[in-house]
Amino acid sequence: MKIIIGVDIGNATTEVALARVDGEKYEFLASALHKTTGLKGTVDNIEGIKRAINDALKKVDLNILDVSAIRINEAIPVIGDVSMETITETIITESTMIGHNPSTPGGVGLGVGETILLHDLFQAEKNKNYITVVPDKVSFLEAAYRINKAQEKDYKRTGAIIQKDDGVLINNRLISKIPIIDEVLYIDKIPLGMNAAVEVAPQGKIINVISNPYGIATIFSLTSEETKKIVPISKALIGNRSGVVIKTPQGDVKEKIIPSGKIDIQGNFGSKSINIEAGAKAIMKTLGNVDIVEDINGETGTSIGGMLKNVKSVMSSFTDESIENIKIKDILAVDTFIPQKVKGGVAGEFIFENAVGIAAMVNTEKNQIAAVAKEVEKSLGVKVIVEGVEADMAINGALTTPGTSRPLVIIDIGAGSTDACSIDKKGKKGLVHLAGAGNMVTLLIQKELGITDFNLAEDIKKCSLARAESLFYIRHEDGNVQFFEKSLSPKIFAKNVLIGGESCQAHHHIFSRKTSFAVK
């Protein structure tokens, strides 16, 4: 009779099963799991393996001296990343156009005029339209008083740009309403004496003039070449309720564009190439047309080229192998979008760029897993055997379940990879091991929401959503309402919350788009 330990090293967790083996008889004893330490399939996994084994042994009052053998799976690393379809960096200079979309603007309509400080308005010419600029040292009462006074003296003020969050307060005190943009953090960057357009849409509506490049061109009388240059600004304002655009002489929007590049898929019968801009569907179709993938590379000097080279570089550093010997055997491409910050903007503006998420499966030599086995054996003093492809083990395990029989197909969606194994009535097996799984979903959540906390993204993926509509009830995503006897925390009022048990860690995160997530 022997005590055998089976170890399954995954991308996210390392799982251990403990069994008593007596000839052909198997008795399950205990199991445990621990977060995988390091990159799957590398020697950094050893610490996680040892901790999971110790946890399992403690559950049945055994120690490592009772164990006859340890079997470890052939773990293949999967590295996920995102390759931008286009990486556009819109830089605000002292001569350019700027855009902004605060959450609580004041007034409604479109105002066009020359930018001027509020305190300088009464010394200006009366035959011009003006957009007043109000720094944070001016209170909303003083601002409203001066703007009203300017109207009484026949100064044409057509809009206002406010540094503080006072747009609604000022608008409520104006005799004649004007569109007001507030929360302009870097108000000192606004050039004075320049033509500007301020647009605010009614609640529930979106702006339609300055979010259109031809609308901006009409306001500022731009040439066709100048109109092309302001497309990034109009794109950034699409779907917003409010915005402001300012033009200065010889203005320009500088763009630094890193080409998306091509993917070169090398197969057993030649190679095929596909541009990232073609999108995920076209990439996966091209990949499917290659019989056996031997390696995948990206075009040098491009976004995808840099990403795939980095994947190989990371694997090379873990395995101490030459980067030329690291091969990518499979990829999963998914269309997504990523918020990109407009550098130098007046209030931290973002623009959404199309992107393609890529999960890459890197080929690893068996001697790397053998090195893991050797170190575990040396550390624990128990014979360690590398045996078992993950999908193969899954189907063998499934056949021990009462009521199952051949033929059978098992699909195992893990953190980094998706495995499938089939077995027919005669016992013939088919295996496939593909890149991309749960971690890819988490990565896309991180990128699309612009958050850096991996655990928060995991909770968003796993837990249900609700909205705290009052201090005494929340509305779940299926529409049901849950009431509470005690009041909820004021911190989550009017915010989206994550509902979860032990699997969801407590988080409270406020995104740049005024969206909040919390866990009750």
Side-chain angles (χ1 to χ4, degrees):
M1 187 170 61
K2 300 178 181 179
I3 302 296
I4 304 293
I5 293 177
V7 179
D8 181 5
I9 306 169
N11 285 277
T13 58
T14 295
E15 302 167 11
V16 165
L18 196 63
R20 181 180 286 112
V21 181
D22 186 5
E24 295 296 320
K25 296 181 180 180
Y26 296 84
E27 179 188 357
F28 172 77
L29 299 178
S31 65
L33 63 84
H34 192 277
K35 181 178 175 61
T36 298
T37 51
L39 180 66
K40 173 183 176 181
T42 64
V43 291
D44 286 346
N45 301 156
I46 295 171
E47 188 61 32
I49 293 171
K50 290 164 60 177
R51 291 180 183 179
I53 289 175
N54 289 333
D55 289 345
L57 290 171
K58 286 178 182 179
K59 291 180 180 180
V60 288
D61 293 325
L62 294 175
N63 60 56
I64 196 65
L65 297 177
D66 299 317
V67 178
S68 301
I70 299 172
R71 295 176 181 267
I72 296 181
N73 65 313
E74 295 180 10
I76 300 176
V78 178
I79 301 174
D81 207 339
V82 164
S83 174
M84 296 293 295
E85 180 181 316
T86 354
I87 300 178
T88 303
E89 189 178 77
T90 305
I91 304 172
I92 302 302
T93 66
E94 61 183 7
S95 304
T96 190
M97 293 188 173
I98 55 181
H100 179 43
N101 176 49
S103 57
T104 54
V108 171
L110 174 68
V112 179
E114 187 178 292
T115 55
I116 187 171
L117 281 174
L118 180 60
H119 286 82
D120 296 336
L121 183 58
F122 296 107
Q123 287 77 45
E125 300 176 21
K126 290 188 176 182
N127 60 347
K128 290 183 178 181
N129 292 334
Y130 294 102
I131 302 292
T132 54
V133 178
V134 184
D136 60 1
K137 62 183 179 181
V138 181
S139 70
F140 69 88
L141 290 173
E142 181 184 356
Y145 171 80
R146 286 179 173 271
I147 293 174
N148 283 332
K149 203 69 176 176
Q151 181 187 0
E152 293 177 7
K153 295 186 176 182
D154 295 327
Y155 286 97
K156 301 175 182 177
R157 74 292 176 281
T158 55
I161 303 173
I162 315 293
Q163 186 168 19
K164 293 195 294 186
D165 186 12
D166 289 343
V168 174
L169 294 174
I170 294 173
N171 180 71
N172 289 341
R173 289 161 175 79
L174 296 184
I175 299 171
S176 179
K177 308 300 183 183
I178 58 174
I180 300 174
I181 298 292
D182 58 5
E183 299 180 67
V184 179
L185 182 60
Y186 308 116
I187 204 161
D188 57 309
K189 287 188 176 184
I190 295 178
L192 301 175
M194 303 302 169
N195 289 331
V198 174
E199 185 177 8
V200 177
Q203 287 192 358
K205 303 291 184 180
I206 59 174
I207 54 177
N208 54 34
V209 179
I210 63 175
S211 60
N212 184 333
Y214 297 102
I216 297 175
T218 301
I219 293 171
F220 298 116
S221 301
L222 303 181
T223 65
S224 60
E225 287 301 313
E226 289 173 328
T227 303
K228 291 178 183 179
K229 293 178 181 179
I230 54 90
V231 170
I233 294 298
S234 60
K235 278 178 62 180
L237 294 173
I238 291 174
N240 293 339
R241 187 192 160 201
S242 60
V244 55
V245 176
I246 304 173
K247 184 181 185 299
T248 62
Q250 290 135 10
D252 194 9
V253 175
K254 294 183 180 179
E255 289 183 328
K256 178 184 177 183
I257 299 177
I258 300 174
S260 53
K262 296 179 180 179
I263 292 178
D264 182 37
I265 306 169
Q266 299 170 19
N268 54 331
F269 295 114
S271 63
K272 293 183 180 292
S273 296
I274 180 70
N275 200 307
I276 283 288
E277 292 179 353
K281 187 175 181 180
I283 293 172
M284 297 309 293
K285 183 178 180 181
T286 303
L287 182 67
N289 291 332
V290 178
D291 184 24
I292 299 175
V293 177
E294 296 182 349
D295 195 14
I296 300 174
N297 293 292
E299 184 180 355
T300 303
T302 66
S303 173
I304 187 63
M307 186 221 124
L308 294 181
K309 186 175 181 181
N310 180 65
V311 166
K312 291 187 175 184
S313 177
V314 169
M315 195 61 215
S316 175
S317 66
F318 275 105
T319 60
D320 291 326
E321 289 188 58
S322 170
I323 196 169
E324 285 77 19
N325 296 330
I326 305 297
K327 307 296 182 182
I328 295 176
K329 291 295 187 177
D330 185 46
I331 60 172
L332 172 66
V334 180
D335 288 323
T336 183
F337 55 87
I338 297 178
Q340 291 290 294
K341 189 172 184 179
V342 180
K343 293 193 175 180
V346 293
E349 296 90 340
F350 283 82
I351 183 172
F352 281 92
E353 292 287 356
N354 292 327
V356 176
I358 300 285
M361 179 173 289
V362 187
N363 183 48
T364 180
E365 298 295 333
K366 188 173 182 178
N367 58 15
Q368 179 65 19
I369 302 300
V372 176
K374 185 177 180 180
E375 287 298 319
V376 173
E377 184 172 318
K378 181 180 178 181
S379 177
L380 299 179
V382 179
K383 184 179 180 180
V384 179
I385 305 166
V386 178
E387 188 173 62
V389 177
E390 293 178 44
D392 196 9
M393 291 191 295
I395 204 162
N396 287 338
L399 287 172
T400 65
T401 304
T404 59
S405 63
R406 304 171 184 174
L408 187 69
V409 175
I410 294 295
I411 298 177
D412 177 11
I413 302 175
S417 61
T418 300
D419 308 322
C421 181
S422 65
I423 185 169
D424 60 18
K425 289 184 177 181
K426 296 181 180 180
K428 184 179 179 181
K429 294 178 182 178
L431 306 174
V432 65
H433 191 54
L434 302 174
N439 279 357
M440 187 64 171
V441 177
T442 305
L443 175 70
L444 295 176
I445 291 171
Q446 280 187 276
K447 296 297 182 180
E448 291 191 8
L449 295 180
I451 61 177
T452 57
D453 190 335
F454 180 85
N455 290 328
L456 174 60
E458 274 282 297
D459 287 346
I460 293 172
K461 178 179 72 175
K462 295 187 295 184
C463 303
S464 61
L465 276 173
R467 185 167 183 81
E469 296 185 349
S470 85
L471 293 179
F472 290 94
Y473 70 85
I474 60 175
R475 186 177 300 277
H476 290 270
E477 57 187 66
D478 61 1
N480 290 326
V481 175
Q482 180 180 354
F483 292 89
F484 298 89
E485 291 184 5
K486 295 182 179 180
S487 65
L488 301 172
S489 169
K491 292 182 179 179
I492 68 170
F493 174 66
K495 295 176 182 176
N496 293 325
V497 297
L498 293 172
I499 306 299
E502 294 179 358
S503 64
C504 288
Q505 301 175 3
H507 282 287
H508 181 265
H509 187 85
I510 301 178
F511 297 109
S512 58
R513 285 177 287 164
K514 307 295 183 182
T515 306
S516 298
F517 286 86
V519 175
K520 172 63 178 174

